[in-house]
Amino acid sequence: MESTRNKLIKLLAANQDHYISGQLLSERLNISRNAIWKHMKELEKDGYVVEGKSKKGYRITGFPDKLSENTIQWGLNTRWAGKTIIHKETTPSTQIIAHQAASDGAKHGTVIIADQQTKGRGRMEREWHSAKNKGIWLSIILRPAILPYLAPQLTLLTATVMADVLYKHAFTQSSIKWPNDILINNKKAVGILTEMHAEQDQIQYIVIGIGMNVNQQIDELPEGLQTIATSLQIETNKNWSIKELIQDILLTFEDAYDTFIEKGFSEVKRKWENYGFRMGEYISIKTLREQWGGTFSGIAEDGALIVKTSGGETKKLYSGEIEWFRDGENDVKQTGSETNKCK
């Protein structure tokens, strides 16, 4: 059930250009006018500037910079994504909170957001540096009616969502490095972590974690990452509104997810391959048993990387060590172990 605070925010958002009376708010929300006044005070604590005039009512005239459940939901035009938001100033990891909330029955589309993560992590338990108020650190709880083996498709879908959001904001040089890193000018700006709780034939819930570097300066990135990671600020030399980016991500994600559920994986596959880093190029691969190479020709429905060898054989790769950057193509040679499996 939608909270009274969310209903109040929607009413105020629909009447930004004029006052809405306390009596009308009271009738619409079925609470006392004194309760309305208390809610307004809570909005002011979040940083909103609330103007109240006798015989006229209330309106919002100023908006806060900081994140909160209220500030994110103000102007968020989604149907289900982010209708419930859990915001933390500091937390070890939004994934931890998301798993607990999902176990406690949190609804599909619940979003957990933090200003800072002290133990942010990516795939294979790698650390993700999550500085306070410098990026987007969020997790989304999903309860899809799909079979567990299709869960990797949601990782690929999320990657296309993030690439679309970046493209929309003029980052035309963004690409997806299989399976879930988003690069800007060949440097990592976004990481995605998908974790699942399921039975053999049924998904209980999926948690998708997104980490996005937004307003870091180059010297604010850990020294070991400065040559291989980037942020929106580094690429454009301007600060970005984290709140507006979060709203854009949630709206874009909701549309893409609903299309996926209705029409299947084909559009995700097409879009992913359009953004795919090194698509159509030769890549070198090392697995536990062999070292080989071939042309990166696409992704399979189960999220595997498809490689065509020089001998004409088509292979699927689920995990391995891929040399994405070769000498002469970038200032740094990066070799990373990749896997598309959900945890």
Side-chain angles (χ1 to χ4, degrees):
M1 182 179 294
E2 189 175 20
S3 70
T4 299
R5 183 71 50 79
N6 288 347
K7 292 178 182 177
L8 174 60
I9 288 172
K10 284 184 178 179
L11 285 169
L12 291 170
N15 295 273
Q16 292 184 47
D17 297 331
H18 57 272
Y19 294 93
I20 181 167
S21 72
Q23 182 61 37
L24 180 58
L25 290 172
S26 176
E27 291 172 358
R28 292 281 187 89
L29 300 176
N30 196 29
I31 58 176
S32 69
R33 295 186 64 171
N34 184 56
I36 295 292
W37 180 83
K38 289 181 179 179
H39 278 295
M40 293 300 179
K41 291 302 178 184
E42 289 300 314
L43 288 177
E44 288 178 339
K45 288 180 182 179
D46 277 337
Y48 290 98
V49 179
V50 180
E51 187 177 289
K53 286 194 175 182
S54 178
K55 298 182 180 180
K56 286 190 173 183
Y58 300 94
R59 68 172 180 167
I60 299 293
T61 60
F63 301 85
D65 292 329
K66 69 177 185 177
L67 295 181
S68 71
E69 291 91 337
N70 292 332
T71 60
I72 296 168
Q73 287 178 333
W74 182 279
L76 179 62
N77 298 314
T78 54
R79 297 174 297 279
W80 52 262
K83 290 306 177 184
T84 299
I85 292 176
I86 300 170
H87 171 257
K88 300 290 182 181
E89 291 186 3
T90 300
T91 185
S93 168
T94 58
Q95 291 290 97
I96 295 173
I97 297 174
H99 280 289
Q100 183 60 59
S103 297
D104 291 341
K107 290 183 178 180
H108 174 77
T110 296
V111 174
I112 295 84
I113 297 173
D115 298 336
Q116 177 185 32
Q117 293 182 124
T118 57
K119 294 182 180 179
R121 58 190 173 89
R123 293 169 43 257
M124 303 179 74
E125 299 300 322
R126 292 174 181 146
E127 181 182 0
W128 181 277
H129 186 68
S130 313
K132 189 171 185 178
N133 300 324
K134 292 293 183 177
I136 294 173
W137 327 122
L138 68 80
S139 298
I140 305 173
I141 297 171
L142 302 174
R143 299 186 183 276
I146 61 175
L147 293 172
Y149 79 91
L150 295 175
Q153 295 182 352
L154 290 172
T155 301
L156 302 170
L157 178 147
T158 305
T160 67
V161 166
M162 299 307 295
D164 277 349
V165 169
L166 289 174
Y167 189 87
K168 177 182 176 181
H169 293 284
F171 290 95
T172 56
Q173 298 302 311
S174 63
S175 55
I176 305 172
K177 181 167 74 68
W178 182 83
N180 59 358
D181 289 344
I182 314 301
L183 310 181
I184 301 176
N185 293 322
N186 292 351
K187 293 184 177 181
K188 184 173 179 176
V190 182
I192 298 162
L193 175 64
T194 303
E195 298 176 316
M196 175 175 65
H197 182 71
E199 298 173 2
Q200 185 174 359
D201 60 350
Q202 183 179 14
I203 294 174
Q204 299 299 320
Y205 65 83
I206 288 175
V207 174
I208 295 183
I210 298 171
M212 180 175 184
N213 295 334
V214 179
N215 288 326
Q216 294 97 331
Q217 302 278 356
I218 186 67
D219 59 359
E220 291 176 316
L221 294 175
E223 186 173 345
L225 299 180
Q226 291 179 8
T227 58
I228 60 175
T230 190
S231 72
L232 274 60
Q233 202 282 340
I234 292 169
E235 297 298 323
T236 62
N237 199 32
K238 74 173 187 179
N239 278 349
W240 292 74
S241 168
I242 291 176
K243 181 197 76 172
E244 291 177 7
L245 285 170
I246 290 172
Q247 291 176 331
D248 197 4
I249 289 167
L250 294 179
L251 182 59
T252 306
F253 182 90
E254 182 181 83
D255 288 342
Y257 178 93
D258 286 347
T259 299
F260 164 72
I261 293 299
E262 180 183 355
K263 299 183 178 180
F265 184 61
S266 60
E267 176 62 14
V268 175
K269 175 180 168 66
R270 182 198 66 79
K271 187 172 286 188
W272 195 103
E273 291 177 344
N274 185 56
Y275 283 117
F277 181 63
R278 299 285 302 276
M279 273 286 298
E281 297 182 31
Y282 182 91
I283 56 175
S284 179
I285 299 161
K286 183 179 180 181
T287 63
L288 291 174
R289 297 181 179 178
E290 59 181 338
Q291 185 165 353
W292 54 286
T295 301
F296 178 19
S297 58
I299 54 171
E301 286 202 355
D302 57 2
L305 183 147
I306 301 174
V307 181
K308 190 172 183 178
T309 69
S310 58
E313 182 184 2
T314 298
K315 291 186 176 183
K316 281 186 176 183
L317 181 71
Y318 293 93
S319 63
E321 202 169 88
I322 302 173
E323 187 180 84
W324 289 107
F325 298 90
R326 291 179 293 178
D327 292 337
E329 292 185 346
N330 200 356
D331 291 334
V332 62
K333 184 178 180 182
Q334 295 182 2
T335 302
S337 178
E338 304 292 347
T339 177
N340 75 323
K341 294 296 186 181
C342 290
K343 290 188 175 182

